[in-house]
């Protein structure tokens, strides 16, 4: 019994430690702010808005709605801004639980 407990503790420690070295890619949550262009059927993220080539038929929305409408990202800028790469597994878990701020937690990304 004591041996099983020791092996379990060692395995748990190995999993936790390896989580600091395994990189993953996080995607933006569906409630993150986007601007949709209904004419071109595209969406753009706030950091990319000034460089985007959009029509006048715009609406503030969120990523989930833009994807539900089957709209495409306006540019690589938007695509890249909606992912966070090379985040370790442990940090990603903390970000998903809301214990650590993510790339999308600033006021720029909040729907107004």
């Amino acid at each position: 019994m004591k041996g099983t407990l020791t092996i379990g503790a060692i395995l748990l420690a190995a999993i936790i430690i390896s989580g600091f070295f395994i990189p993953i890619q996080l995607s933006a949550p569906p409630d993150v702010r986007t601007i949709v262009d209904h004419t071109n059927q595209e969406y753009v993220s706030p950091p990319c808005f000034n460089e985007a080539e959009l029509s006048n038929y715009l609406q503030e929305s969120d990523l989930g709605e833009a994807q539900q409408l089957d709209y495409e990202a306006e540019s690589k800028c938007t695509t890249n801004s909606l992912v966070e790469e090379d985040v370790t597994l442990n940090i990603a878990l903390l970000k998903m639980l809301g214990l650590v701020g993510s790339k999308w937690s600033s006021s720029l990304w909040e729907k107004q």
Side-chain angles (χ1 to χ4, degrees), residues 30-103:
D31 64 341
V32 76
R33 178 181 170 211
T34 59
I35 296 92
V36 293
D37 179 349
H38 293 291
T39 301
N40 298 326
Q41 296 186 342
E42 298 175 327
Y43 62 91
V44 64
S45 63
C48 306
F49 181 76
N50 290 336
E51 292 82 34
E53 296 180 20
L54 302 170
S55 72
N56 289 342
Y57 188 21
L58 303 176
Q59 177 187 358
E60 187 173 348
S61 184
D62 58 44
L63 181 60
E65 183 179 345
Q67 291 174 335
Q68 189 176 30
L69 292 169
D70 206 27
Y71 286 5
E72 297 292 322
E74 191 270 337
S75 66
K76 283 270 193 209
C77 176
T78 295
T79 304
N80 292 338
S81 69
L82 295 173
V83 294
E84 194 171 0
E85 295 185 5
D86 297 330
V87 178
T88 63
L89 191 58
N90 290 349
I91 299 300
L93 180 61
L94 293 174
K95 287 182 179 195
M96 287 189 282
L97 293 173
L99 300 174
V100 175
S102 73
K103 178 179 179 177

Side-chain angles (χ1 to χ4, degrees), residues 1-17:
M1 180 69 175
K2 205 174 199 180
T4 306
L5 190 59
T6 304
I7 291 173
I10 291 171
L11 286 175
L12 180 63
I15 290 170
I16 291 171
I17 291 170

